[in-house]
Amino acid sequence: MRTTPAPMSAPTTGPARTTGSGEVTPAVRAVDACKVYGAGDTAVTALDDVTLDLPAGRFTAIMGPSGSGKSTLMHCLAGLDTLTSGRVLIGDTDLAALSDRERTLLRRDRLGFVFQSFNLLPTLSAEENITLPCDLAGRRPDREWFQTVVDNLALGGRLSHRPSELSGGQQQRVAVGRALISRPDVVFADEPTGALDSKAGAELLRFLRSVVDDLGQTVVMVTHDPGAAAYADSVVFLVDGRVVEELEAPTRDRVLEVMGRLAS
Amino acid sequence: MFRFSLRNLLASKVRLLLTMASVAVGVAFVAGTFVLSDTMAKAFDELYAGLTAGTDVVVRSESAYDADLTTTGGQVRPVDEGLVARVRAVPGVEVAEGSVFGYALVIDSHGQPVQPGGAPTFGTSIAVDRRLSGAATIREGRAPVGLGEIVVDARTVRRAGLALGDHVDVVFEDARRTFRLVGIVGFGETDSILGATMTGFDLPTAQTVLGKTGVVDEIDVRGADGISDSTLRDRIASVLPDGVGAETGEQVAADSTDAVRDAMGVFTTVLLVFAGVSLLVGSFVIWNTFNVLVAQRRREVALLRAVGGTRRQVLTGVLLEAVVVGVISSAAGLGLGVALAAGIRQLLKLIGVDLPTTTPAIETRTVVAAFSVGVVVTCLAAVLPAWSAARIAPMEALRTAAPVNRGSGRIRHAVGWSVLAVGALMLAACSVAGDQRWWTVVATLTTFLGLVFVGPSLARGLAAVVAHARRPGWRMAARNVARSSRRAAATALALTIGLTVVAAVAVTAASLKDSVSAAVSGGNRSDLILEPEGAGMGVSSSVADLLRARTDVDAVVELREWGAQINGDDQLVTAVDTAGLDRVIDLGIASGSLDALRAGSILVSTAQARHLGVSAGESVTVTFPETGPRPFRVAGTFDKGSLINATYVITLSDFEQNVTSRLDQAILLTTPGLDPDRAKERIGAALADYPNVTVNTPQDITRKAQHSVDQLLGIVTALLLLAVVVAVLGVVNTLVLSVMERSRELGVLRAVGATRRQVRQTIRRESVLMSTLGAVTGVALGAAAGVGLARSLSEQGITTVAVPLVTLAAYVVIAIGVGVLAAVAPARRASRVDVLRAVAEE
Ligand SMILES: Nc1ncnc2c1ncn2[C@@H]1O[C@H](COP(=O)(O)OP(=O)(O)O)[C@@H](O)[C@H]1O
Ligand SMILES: [Mg+2]
């Protein structure tokens, strides 16, 4: 178990959940996922028959050029948006079969989110932001887990501060904390380092890495930064709404190489 | 700049509508009041002009002063009928006829009185020369001749179910008589004069039945062709004795219209007060809306400044927006006002006041008033927000952070709490001291001003308390209120104003009700009290004679009242039988004695005596409209006149010498040895000929008085509710704006698992917090103001102060409930925010 993951290091499997046969169960599956915006002449196919397994206990990056459907894919996987056709499964749960309310509760109890910016509620303190999903569920947060998360994210001293009193990096860590508080099946992060400077970005990525390694969580991250993708266990490449390549144990250079190949 | 403003306005139609509505209601009240009173004046104008159309000159006694129509009925001293011949002899006079008026109540075919609500029931002589009657014509049948014949107005004929040839019973001041209906009178197209019942007789009959034998109330004259009205008037005037005057028909019509307009003055004032309250509420809504708009547009404005817009341009831009809002809402308000006036007219018709039909009078003054009120209020309310917009620095365009509440200055804070404390102390002082009507108003306004300053602190305080709640919905709602505490406070303050007035009215009404029962049980010694039914003008004095003849009745005390001036002030003078007075009522003589009340003397209430600076033995001048000034010696002062609503008491004989009317306002009886219910039954049966008289036990009187207080309270509260509605629109407005402002936050909330219901709940709770703030401050301030007010109305009969806690608590609960309702649409909007759009990176 490493504590300071380096971009160059080999992929590791975290304490994954396993089925009886010992095989790694996907935390999230997309089957023939299609998403079309609009209709007729103006229709845009954002996802084109995407089939994808995202294994539990792993850190997966989704990459691709701008407009390739990364965000759309993530929103559909996370139950924030619905597919035009195809299926998304969180564990055994088929998202398409859920009502809006059920999807909301699923997000609250089984998924976590980190967005590029504007993640936190400005009126709540850092601690209140972290425990928000529990509060919404009317549950008391598990204190031990809360402490573990907070310690991991090195937020100890700033829990009573409002978001406006925190740096961008700290705000994103609070957002990660909130995403983790209900021990979700998956944490989704859409360009979480997009609004951060490189130092804070690197720090956040190390935290995400440790979330997978030390806390056994599953993380799916959208990024267009090859350096960021190198923190992941595997990278999925999207072009024009299609999965075109998957890369295990990525390094920055290998990611760049694939990107170059895909661009040409 | 103008286009920029316009575009901003149209950007949100809902907001525009809500903002406009808040001004429009106030403007509607102003416009409606003017339209109503102008329309009524116009109607009366047309009516009187019609009635006097065939009359060139009117001869009648001069009134000692311009008496209030509502307390004197316009009665002047009748003149000797011999004068008619003298007027007729004046060269140029073609026709001169005397006419008389008086009380005459028609009894319908079921034996019930035809009693219009509020309008008079009168009898008059019918001129022989038909042209003298002007627009009043005999539509069917013929003019009455002799003691047994009568004509009746068409509306009354219809209501009483009468037909030509039927027998009609009429109750007069002195008796009940029977006639045969020979004609039906109409007034142009209208069936009645403002819903009044009119009966007509020939002159000698009218003189007999109306108690005016040998006299006439006026002489109507038509001149020969070719002689001008004014020449004729001057010629006639030269032959008239002192105290009798001649006026042209036109002048009489104009004077009558003016008198009606004066009588409507109170009504107009009350409506304008309501207008003021809703405008004040509306201005808070506007203020708030513009504040929010400016806050939301900070970046936009800063950008404008960065590319070279001057402060002045920004200021003008916002004010321009206010002007447009003001103009549109004024136009809407004006339209609403015309509708409101028509509505009130319909309402008056329902209660029997049949206004002559005429088109609504929309004078230039009304339009000017509506637009200036609307525009001025809107602009005044927008000045501060506009000013703060102008102070936005161009640099702010570059900052991304949402506007945060700038901490209110420490000075503002200190000033606010001091003003609030001063106001509260003044209110307390007024309640203790009593009789401080104007200071109570000043204190209330001061306290309110204090609330305006400390409102944000109160909002934050309330939020801080609620923020400790375990439920995240409450906590988030509280945090949101605290974050925009100024906005929350301004929203709540609009509600505060409405509820202050409503609560003050409730306290005053409750005090009045308690005082009424205290007055009846305190000063009353009578067993039965006879009153005219409904809005009847009075009870025939023959009723008292009938009762005096009975053996089961001991004391019979007649009570009359009339308008007169005391040392120059318009007042009501009460006349009583001195015999038996202290057996039916305890006036609470404070100085002098009841025995000293004889012809030429007067009892004065202690408060009025203090006001006039007179004491027992000194003299006051009572000016009767019919007979002019008369000196009276003060026989004593009294404390407990509220049962009979008396401040000045004279003897019946003095009254009869100075007032023509013989109608009793009430008759107080004692029926020793009889069970009250039994007595009521027996007296009621004895008065079968007078169905317009109600026989009441003291409890009945209390109940009736309390009922009429309740009715009044109901009407006033209903009108004030419009102001509360405006405040609620303000709550909706604030919520909608803040939902729009927070759509990203709400999106995040939804993304991390808040259900739509939870989002709705948060918005609803914000609304509840604001409503609670407004309701609690409003009801508390209103209760305090009400106590001060009640303590200052002792002369109006409020002797005890009662605070209706249940009612006030109900107001708070209702206001909070309304807060929930106000949140319905904004909450729904909040729960439908597009999660993806909200969280998508820019
Ligand atoms: N709400 C929408 N309506 C219409 N088209 C959309 C919408 N959201 C995304 N798209 C289109 O779908 C495609 C994929 O978008 P997106 O998933 O945001 O890509 P990425 O995140 O990889 O930049 C793009 O062509 C984009 O224009
Ligand atoms: Mg994207």
Side-chain angles (χ1 to χ4, degrees):
Chain A
M1 199 67 48
R2 64 192 179 193
T3 47
T4 47
M8 250 61 75
S9 60
T12 44
T13 15
R17 279 163 231 188
T18 54
T19 58
S21 64
E23 215 175 281
V24 177
T25 324
V28 185
R29 301 183 65 186
V31 183
D32 299 333
C34 285
K35 176 73 183 180
V36 181
Y37 287 111
D41 290 347
T42 57
V44 177
T45 306
L47 294 181
D48 192 357
D49 247 350
V50 174
T51 299
L52 192 67
D53 282 4
L54 298 171
R58 308 234 348 215
F59 188 172
T60 310
I62 299 176
M63 291 204 72
S66 182
S68 58
K70 305 184 292 292
S71 294
T72 304
L73 176 63
M74 206 199 80
H75 291 153
C76 291
L77 294 180
L80 288 168
D81 203 353
T82 51
L83 289 172
T84 310
S85 67
R87 297 198 304 156
V88 170
L89 297 150
I90 305 287
D92 296 328
T93 316
D94 185 350
L95 285 188
L98 301 183
S99 67
D100 177 81
R101 183 182 151 76
E102 287 164 333
R103 256 184 293 140
T104 303
L105 299 185
L106 179 109
R107 288 201 298 271
R108 185 184 79 193
D109 299 333
R110 293 177 56 191
L111 304 176
F113 297 93
V114 183
F115 306 107
Q116 176 173 342
S117 65
F118 206 84
N119 257 313
L120 306 177
L121 295 188
T123 55
L124 301 185
S125 67
E127 174 167 355
E128 287 165 338
N129 262 294
I130 293 175
T131 57
L132 184 59
C134 297
D135 284 343
L136 288 171
R139 278 195 310 260
R140 319 207 78 200
D142 175 346
R143 286 324 290 186
E144 208 177 308
W145 176 247
F146 173 81
Q147 209 47 56
T148 312
V149 168
V150 166
D151 289 347
N152 246 274
L153 296 172
L155 278 169
R158 321 213 52 98
L159 284 177
S160 58
H161 290 72
R162 295 281 172 94
S164 57
E165 297 158 343
L166 300 176
S167 72
Q170 285 169 333
Q171 288 187 35
Q172 283 304 62
R173 275 184 273 149
V174 171
V176 173
R178 182 187 61 203
L180 291 171
I181 192 67
S182 49
R183 290 182 199 263
D185 295 359
V186 198
V187 172
F188 292 99
D190 193 354
E191 313 240 14
T193 58
L196 302 182
D197 60 47
S198 57
K199 183 166 164 282
E203 213 171 22
L204 187 79
L205 289 163
R206 277 200 298 280
F207 280 119
L208 287 177
R209 185 68 249 174
S210 81
V211 160
V212 175
D213 294 342
D214 303 341
L215 304 180
Q217 293 289 309
T218 308
V219 174
V220 178
M221 174 180 78
V222 166
T223 183
H224 58 248
D225 172 10
Y231 281 79
D233 296 319
S234 62
V235 182
V236 176
F237 290 90
L238 277 185
V239 173
D240 292 339
R242 264 185 292 256
V243 178
V244 290
E245 180 111 24
E246 291 186 47
L247 188 63
E248 290 293 315
T251 62
R252 190 167 179 278
D253 295 336
R254 288 181 61 202
V255 171
L256 275 172
E257 178 214 309
V258 175
M259 283 172 75
R261 180 148 44 82
L262 291 176
S264 58
Chain B
M1 204 60 213
F2 186 60
R3 243 187 305 153
F4 185 67
S5 304
L6 267 188
R7 205 163 33 69
N8 282 333
L9 265 180
L10 294 174
S12 166
K13 292 183 191 69
V14 181
R15 189 187 72 211
L16 184 65
L17 218 65
L18 287 168
T19 314
M20 271 170 41
S22 55
V23 189
V25 171
V27 173
F29 259 117
V30 174
T33 308
F34 284 152
V35 170
L36 185 69
S37 71
D38 289 345
T39 307
M40 281 175 54
K42 183 176 157 209
F44 279 101
D45 242 357
E46 289 169 4
L47 179 79
Y48 287 126
L51 287 179
T52 58
T55 307
D56 295 331
V57 174
V58 174
V59 174
R60 60 184 177 186
S61 294
E62 282 154 355
S63 187
Y65 65 97
D66 263 349
D68 183 354
L69 213 54
T70 52
T71 58
T72 62
Q75 175 73 54
V76 292
R77 185 109 295 219
V79 297
D80 190 276
E81 64 182 346
L83 198 56
V84 177
R86 211 194 303 173
V87 169
R88 202 175 282 139
V90 172
V93 171
E94 190 169 294
V95 183
E97 282 189 50
S99 64
V100 291
F101 317 94
Y103 175 78
L105 179 73
V106 175
I107 307 299
D108 72 12
S109 45
H110 302 102
Q112 292 304 307
V114 181
Q115 188 90 264
T121 51
F122 73 98
T124 180
S125 56
I126 299 289
V128 177
D129 183 282
R130 293 305 310 135
R131 280 160 69 192
L132 278 183
S133 297
T137 54
I138 309 257
R139 280 192 192 162
E140 272 180 67
R142 56 174 176 80
V145 182
L147 208 53
E149 295 190 347
I150 192 173
V151 293
V152 178
D153 70 275
R155 183 171 190 268
T156 306
V157 166
R158 201 174 60 241
R159 284 188 60 196
L162 296 171
L164 285 182
D166 281 359
H167 286 289
V168 185
D169 272 24
V170 181
V171 173
F172 298 98
E173 284 184 0
D174 64 349
R176 173 170 167 152
R177 294 168 209 262
T178 307
F179 300 88
R180 203 164 61 82
L181 182 66
V182 299
I184 299 171
V185 179
F187 309 85
E189 310 221 317
T190 317
D191 286 351
S192 78
I193 302 174
L194 311 167
T197 68
M198 192 209 86
T199 49
F201 314 90
D202 69 7
L203 180 61
T205 305
Q207 284 173 313
T208 308
V209 298
L210 298 175
K212 289 178 176 170
T213 316
V215 295
V216 293
D217 285 311
E218 61 179 48
I219 302 167
D220 302 323
V221 178
R222 198 176 67 249
D225 288 346
I227 180 164
S228 82
D229 292 356
S230 48
T231 313
L232 190 63
R233 176 195 61 199
D234 295 344
R235 276 195 210 162
I236 293 171
S238 63
V239 306
L240 296 176
D242 272 357
V244 182
E247 285 166 297
T248 62
E250 274 167 36
Q251 186 61 44
V252 169
D255 288 351
S256 304
T257 307
D258 283 351
V260 171
R261 212 191 260 274
D262 282 350
M264 276 173 54
V266 178
F267 186 60
T268 313
T269 311
V270 168
L271 281 179
L272 286 178
V273 167
F274 289 133
V277 171
S278 35
L279 280 172
L280 190 60
V281 175
S283 65
F284 266 85
V285 175
I286 298 278
W287 177 45
N288 209 12
T289 307
F290 273 86
N291 259 330
V292 177
L293 293 186
V294 167
Q296 285 182 348
R297 272 192 234 144
R298 286 191 91 77
R299 285 189 76 179
E300 204 177 330
V301 170
L303 216 59
L304 206 70
R305 294 268 287 121
V307 299
T310 63
R311 285 198 168 174
R312 204 197 159 96
Q313 277 173 321
V314 172
L315 190 75
T316 324
V318 177
L319 282 181
L320 219 56
E321 212 172 311
V323 170
V324 174
V325 168
V327 167
I328 301 177
S329 0
S330 301
L334 187 61
L336 270 179
V338 176
L340 188 72
I344 294 180
R345 261 177 63 125
Q346 287 303 314
L347 218 65
L348 288 176
K349 194 169 185 170
L350 273 184
I351 60 169
V353 184
D354 193 5
L355 293 177
T357 42
T358 185
T359 47
I362 303 167
E363 312 270 337
T364 322
R365 174 190 59 136
T366 310
V367 177
V368 171
F371 277 92
S372 32
V373 162
V375 173
V376 166
V377 166
T378 317
C379 287
L380 278 183
V383 158
L384 278 179
W387 183 244
S388 82
R391 285 190 353 204
I392 294 171
M395 277 308 291
E396 284 195 39
L398 310 173
R399 284 182 218 142
T400 50
V404 275
N405 224 25
R406 281 156 297 144
S408 33
R410 199 166 297 165
I411 294 178
R412 179 191 148 117
H413 209 71
V415 167
W417 285 107
S418 319
V419 172
L420 186 67
V422 168
L425 281 176
M426 276 165 73
L427 267 178
C430 288
S431 302
V432 174
D435 278 332
Q436 301 297 334
R437 202 170 314 174
W438 296 115
W439 279 112
T440 305
V441 173
V442 171
T444 308
L445 289 176
T446 310
T447 314
F448 181 74
L449 189 68
L451 282 177
V452 173
F453 280 117
V454 305
S457 313
L458 288 180
R460 281 195 298 275
L462 178 67
V465 172
V466 176
H468 288 299
R470 278 239 55 87
R471 312 287 289 282
W474 281 112
R475 193 159 64 207
M476 258 180 297
R479 294 284 168 75
N480 285 329
V481 166
R483 168 168 52 167
S484 47
S485 56
R486 277 193 193 189
R487 190 190 301 175
T491 310
L493 282 170
L495 208 55
T496 306
I497 303 170
L499 282 169
T500 299
V501 188
V502 172
V505 168
V507 170
T508 312
S511 304
L512 185 57
K513 276 169 74 173
D514 271 21
S515 307
V516 167
S517 20
V520 173
S521 51
N524 182 52
R525 287 171 181 165
S526 68
D527 296 316
L528 292 175
I529 298 168
L530 274 50
E531 285 186 336
E533 187 182 292
M537 294 163 71
V539 175
S540 307
S541 49
S542 51
V543 169
D545 297 337
L546 190 152
L547 292 168
R548 284 197 187 94
R550 291 179 67 91
T551 50
D552 53 356
V553 176
D554 184 21
V556 176
V557 173
E558 290 177 76
L559 201 137
R560 296 182 192 163
E561 48 185 40
W562 207 253
Q565 288 191 330
I566 314 269
N567 287 3
D569 274 346
D570 274 20
Q571 300 283 353
L572 267 183
V573 171
T574 307
V576 291
D577 280 327
T578 41
L581 178 61
D582 64 348
R583 271 181 286 160
V584 296
I585 183 173
D586 170 20
L587 277 178
I589 298 294
S591 67
S593 79
L594 198 58
D595 294 337
L597 180 64
R598 286 183 227 110
S601 64
I602 189 169
L603 288 171
V604 183
S605 80
T606 312
Q608 279 299 318
R610 200 181 321 123
H611 177 69
L612 292 176
V614 294
S615 50
E618 294 179 346
S619 169
V620 293
T621 304
V622 180
T623 307
F624 293 96
E626 290 182 44
T627 55
R630 294 276 182 277
F632 278 82
R633 204 182 58 80
V634 177
T637 58
F638 61 93
D639 290 330
K640 294 197 280 189
S642 47
L643 170 65
I644 54 171
N645 188 28
T647 43
Y648 296 96
V649 179
I650 61 172
T651 62
L652 215 49
S653 60
D654 278 336
F655 189 86
E656 291 188 348
Q657 275 173 26
N658 295 290
V659 174
T660 302
S661 169
R662 293 286 174 272
L663 285 178
D664 290 333
Q665 223 51 55
I667 303 173
L668 285 77
L669 309 178
T670 56
T671 52
L674 272 183
D675 167 67
D677 289 332
R678 177 99 187 85
K680 180 175 169 179
E681 208 173 295
R682 274 165 72 165
I683 301 297
L687 296 178
D689 272 356
Y690 296 92
N692 61 316
V693 180
T694 60
V695 182
N696 308 282
T697 62
Q699 290 84 338
D700 292 337
I701 293 290
T702 309
R703 213 170 310 135
K704 266 164 74 173
Q706 294 194 334
H707 179 69
S708 54
V709 172
D710 277 339
Q711 251 178 345
L712 197 66
L713 176 68
I715 294 172
V716 170
T717 308
L719 283 172
L720 286 172
L721 275 186
L722 275 174
V724 176
V725 166
V726 172
V728 172
L729 289 182
V731 176
V732 177
N733 208 1
T734 302
L735 289 174
V736 167
L737 288 170
S738 67
V739 164
M740 275 159 45
E741 197 172 76
R742 296 205 314 254
S743 60
R744 297 197 67 180
E745 249 175 270
L746 294 166
V748 169
L749 204 57
R750 291 275 290 126
V752 300
T755 58
R756 287 186 201 274
R757 214 177 119 194
Q758 281 175 320
V759 171
R760 281 201 298 270
Q761 218 163 43
T762 305
I763 304 296
R764 206 154 49 221
R765 285 171 178 171
E766 266 175 61
S767 180
V768 164
L769 287 178
M770 288 193 286
S771 314
T772 307
L773 184 61
V776 171
T777 51
V779 167
L781 178 57
V787 170
L789 218 56
R791 291 273 291 127
S792 68
L793 292 172
S794 53
E795 269 172 49
Q796 278 67 26
I798 299 187
T799 47
T800 56
V801 171
V803 180
L805 288 175
V806 176
T807 309
L808 295 181
Y811 285 165
V812 173
V813 172
I814 291 171
I816 293 171
V818 165
V820 172
L821 283 183
V824 167
R828 177 171 315 167
R829 190 171 179 148
S831 73
R832 300 224 167 123
V833 290
D834 185 347
V835 182
L836 289 175
R837 184 112 57 91
V839 299
E841 68 273 35
E842 317 208 285

